[in-house]
Amino acid sequence: MQRNIVEKLPKVELHCHLDGSIQPHTLKKLADAQGIDLPDDPKKLKKLLTVPKDCQSLLEYLTKFDPVLPLLQTESALEIAAFDLIEQVARENVRYIEVRFAPSLSTRKGLTLTQVVQAVLKGLSEGEKQFGVKSNALLCGMRHHTIEKNVAVAKTAHDFAEKGVAGVDLAGDEAHYPPELFEEMLKKASEWHIPITLHAGECGCAHNIRESIRLGATRIGHGIALENDPELLSKCAKEQILLELCPTSNLQTKAVKHPEDYPFLTFLKAGVPICINTDNRTVSGTTLTDEYLKLGEWYGLNYATLEQLNHYAVDGAFLLEREKELLHRELVAGYEPFVN
Ligand SMILES: O=c1[nH]cnc2c1ncn2[C@H]1C[C@H](O)[C@@H](CO)O1
Ligand SMILES: [Zn+2]
């Protein structure tokens, strides 16, 4: 596969965190405007914002959000951040993206959840106008937050249903906060008919995937631990539970130790739908094009398989059927010259 071709192919991305995906130079601008100190030197800035090669765990990975969150406490900063992400993904022809973030992490200076969400949606919509990239937001509850806080996030998703918010998620420290703890929040989300995707199986525990599905998730973020549970693997294939894989991030957090252990082919062969994502463009130091090329290198993938993975993403996307139909058609047209 060639980089210049892969870059131009139409793509769908379902697992991308806003706060982990803002370009360093944009973060620097936000910091300067707010009188917050960030390094001037691009190399130092990158080092501060991107995980090192020897990152050992998800918890270490999550520390890279510490310098970013203080910058995302105003409506203007949130709007600029969302626009910045759409500008980036437009460069690699992402046709549809679900952008996730935790609104409760942007309330330090008094913004309400509603104001946070409105500001992000404004940036996404400006991005759509300027670059033609369709998007929806997903609201993340945080695993270390109280149940009340996370129920309030689900309620906000409900308020913005069909107005730019397409679903909810749970992010953060999976190992210490398993999905069972969030039953109340997820029950409410289900009652309100909010689509659910949950980070699960990123920390070696297949049980968390099973529980996430029981609690209403129709998609799983990462899901790496599924490889350890053949029965659950069959269930996911049968129920077409989409796994949102993020290869670079999975290696950085040590969800997978070595590229040769990556369960990509295991999932594909088992008939579990999978799609490829960046997770965090800045924190992981990657793009969707990089992720596709990496898989190409590891498995000798061809363009037809890339197309298939994107169709899986569309099938699992939190969109209306007619919107999915349009995306499927765009994919067929875009890959047609490269598949036979
Ligand atoms: O891969 C991840 N696993 C769990 N939590 C994550 C991951 N990437 C980002 N987060 C957290 C940190 C962010 O502040 C939060 C909302 O985007 O989600
Ligand atoms: Zn994630």
Side-chain angles (χ1 to χ4, degrees):
M1 293 198 299
Q2 288 174 30
R3 176 172 284 273
N4 62 336
I5 293 177
V6 172
E7 211 160 47
K8 290 197 185 89
L9 290 168
K11 303 174 188 71
V12 172
E13 181 165 22
L14 301 183
H15 192 127
C16 181
H17 294 255
L18 176 62
D19 47 349
S21 300
I22 308 158
Q23 295 176 94
H25 68 86
T26 302
L27 288 171
K28 175 66 181 154
K29 268 196 217 156
L30 293 178
D32 288 350
Q34 299 180 54
I36 296 175
D37 228 19
L38 276 191
D40 283 318
D41 175 27
K43 269 195 191 146
K44 282 194 186 138
L45 189 58
K46 186 162 189 280
K47 193 165 176 222
L48 179 75
L49 301 168
T50 302
V51 286
K53 283 209 173 69
D54 62 352
C55 176
Q56 291 304 313
S57 66
L58 175 60
L59 284 187
E60 183 183 346
Y61 183 92
L62 293 176
T63 62
K64 287 292 162 183
F65 293 80
D66 295 346
V68 178
L69 290 167
L71 305 171
L72 299 180
Q73 304 300 325
T74 68
E75 288 167 303
S76 137
L78 288 158
E79 188 184 327
I80 290 170
F83 182 84
D84 174 273
L85 176 54
I86 300 302
E87 182 188 4
Q88 288 175 68
V89 306
R91 279 187 224 136
E92 49 178 358
N93 201 17
V94 170
R95 303 305 308 144
Y96 173 65
I97 181 166
E98 290 181 3
V99 176
R100 63 185 73 196
F101 60 100
S104 48
L105 295 177
S106 290
T107 56
R108 290 181 195 173
K109 284 192 176 165
L111 288 184
T112 63
L113 297 182
T114 301
Q115 285 172 322
V116 173
V117 173
Q118 269 168 343
V120 172
L121 293 182
K122 199 164 167 210
L124 294 179
S125 145
E126 280 303 312
E128 178 168 352
K129 263 188 228 143
Q130 190 140 337
F131 303 108
V133 180
K134 185 174 168 52
S135 60
N136 273 308
L138 304 178
L139 305 190
C140 302
M142 292 305 296
R143 302 185 112 103
H144 65 286
H145 285 175
T146 62
I147 293 300
E148 292 72 34
K149 253 191 177 177
N150 286 328
V151 169
V153 170
K155 172 71 173 58
T156 309
H158 181 46
D159 295 341
F160 283 91
E162 289 162 45
K163 291 180 207 146
V165 175
V168 290
D169 172 31
L170 280 169
D173 179 4
E174 180 193 346
H176 294 98
Y177 299 91
E180 302 84 281
L181 298 176
F182 305 93
E183 189 142 7
E184 188 185 334
M185 171 203 178
L186 297 169
K187 231 183 185 165
K188 288 247 158 62
S190 296
E191 279 167 22
W192 291 326
H193 304 289
I194 305 168
I196 302 171
T197 174
L198 297 175
H199 281 77
E202 193 181 9
C203 297
C205 183
H207 177 73
N208 288 349
I209 301 173
R210 187 184 295 279
E211 282 298 289
S212 298
I213 296 168
R214 180 181 71 79
L215 294 167
T218 57
R219 294 181 354 209
I220 296 292
H222 307 297
I224 296 297
L226 187 61
E227 64 176 328
N228 308 324
D229 188 332
E231 192 224 311
L232 189 58
L233 191 70
S234 310
K235 179 182 159 75
C236 289
K238 193 162 157 236
E239 296 179 14
Q240 292 290 284
I241 302 289
L242 176 70
L243 301 185
E244 306 155 358
L245 298 182
C246 309
T248 297
S249 163
N250 297 150
L251 285 164
Q252 289 164 335
T253 62
K254 301 292 175 287
V256 177
K257 293 251 163 54
H258 309 285
E260 55 271 29
D261 299 333
Y262 204 70
F264 177 83
L265 292 178
T266 310
F267 295 156
L268 209 58
K269 282 182 190 150
V272 178
I274 53 181
C275 63
I276 305 307
N277 305 272
T278 59
D279 206 10
N280 296 285
R281 288 160 179 266
T282 302
V283 172
S284 281
T286 193
T287 63
L288 207 46
T289 303
D290 290 340
E291 297 302 302
Y292 287 10
L293 287 169
K294 204 169 258 189
L295 289 174
E297 221 174 87
W298 293 350
Y299 306 111
L301 288 196
N302 55 24
Y303 296 115
T305 309
L306 288 189
E307 181 183 348
Q308 181 58 51
L309 299 179
N310 276 283
H311 285 297
Y312 282 143
V314 174
D315 289 336
F318 296 153
L319 284 171
L320 300 172
E321 283 310 315
R322 63 178 151 78
E323 295 170 318
K324 292 186 185 188
E325 198 42 53
L326 287 177
L327 281 171
H328 280 306
R329 273 194 236 148
E330 270 196 71
L331 291 174
V332 171
Y335 284 78
E336 201 269 336
F338 308 102
V339 298
N340 40 44

